[in-house]
Amino acid sequence: MANEEVKTVDRSPSDREGKYLTFTLDNEEYGIGIIKVKEIIGMIAITPVPQTPGYVKGVVNLRGKVIPVIDLRLKFGMGSMEYNERTCIIVVEIAGTAKKIPMGIVVDSVSEVLNIKSGDIEDTPNFGSRLETDYILGMAKTGGGVKILLDIDKVLNTEDMALLQAAA
């Protein structure tokens, strides 16, 4: 892994412009393109799956379909927190190798849907070659703050996807 070249992805600002569902994790604001979001549900019973990484909470039965659920806080290396009435699951569609895969991501709370213009999106700052930031589309400047825009397809790597497909 040390010899791997870090790939930078050139995305034109217009590719990133659009509507984003914003949510919080550990008092930080994030956004996911609304086109990837299928629905938002309150916390429901999650069935744990043995032999999975800590960030994989398990699976849920959503109207007869079993979907994997990950805790985005844990995936990003943040501390866990007690779920509360604002904690929810965002059901997204991830681009898999052969088809789109529905998946639930647990977030602290959902904020709002924002229409973010290309002029308000900046490239991800360079944190050095050791940090992997391919999953960040950009930084959106909104109301004096910054929201981290995620490429949800890249938040999970290929190994994660294979594991989640097997779990579901």
Side-chain angles (χ1 to χ4, degrees):
M1 185 137 188
N3 292 337
E4 283 184 18
E5 216 174 286
V6 175
K7 295 178 289 230
T8 57
V9 178
D10 292 327
R11 293 185 180 99
S12 75
S14 61
D15 289 348
R16 300 179 290 186
E17 180 174 282
K19 293 188 184 305
Y20 288 84
L21 175 68
T22 60
F23 58 90
T24 59
L25 291 175
D26 199 23
N27 297 318
E28 296 291 329
E29 291 280 330
Y30 293 84
I32 296 176
I34 198 76
I35 198 160
K36 291 288 190 180
V37 176
K38 295 301 147 208
E39 63 184 295
I40 302 164
I41 58 175
M43 288 304 295
I44 58 176
I46 300 173
T47 305
V49 177
Q51 305 281 320
T52 56
Y55 63 87
V56 177
K57 300 314 286 179
V59 294
V60 295
N61 180 347
L62 189 60
R63 290 183 296 284
K65 187 167 182 115
V66 175
I67 64 167
V69 176
I70 67 163
D71 188 319
L72 211 48
R73 270 177 159 267
L74 301 179
K75 175 64 179 165
F76 288 168
M78 301 172 178
S80 64
M81 76 167 230
E82 198 70 35
Y83 295 159
N84 59 41
E85 70 279 348
R86 298 205 25 95
T87 308
C88 58
I89 299 172
I90 301 172
V91 179
V92 294
E93 240 177 24
I94 306 289
T97 50
K99 61 179 181 171
K100 293 183 191 258
I101 302 159
M103 179 183 329
I105 56 172
V106 177
V107 299
D108 295 358
S109 64
V110 169
S111 305
E112 61 187 328
V113 173
L114 291 177
N115 192 15
I116 301 176
K117 301 282 183 216
S118 61
D120 293 330
I121 300 172
E122 290 196 10
D123 290 335
T124 307
N126 185 355
F127 293 106
S129 62
R130 303 278 306 159
L131 284 177
E132 192 66 46
T133 57
D134 279 354
Y135 62 90
I136 300 176
L137 279 175
M139 305 291 176
K141 301 171 287 188
T142 58
V146 174
K147 294 187 185 336
I148 301 170
L149 303 180
L150 300 176
D151 182 343
I152 199 65
D153 290 331
K154 293 186 179 166
V155 167
L156 296 173
N157 62 34
T158 313
E159 292 170 17
D160 294 333
M161 293 301 292
L163 183 77
L164 292 173
Q165 284 177 299

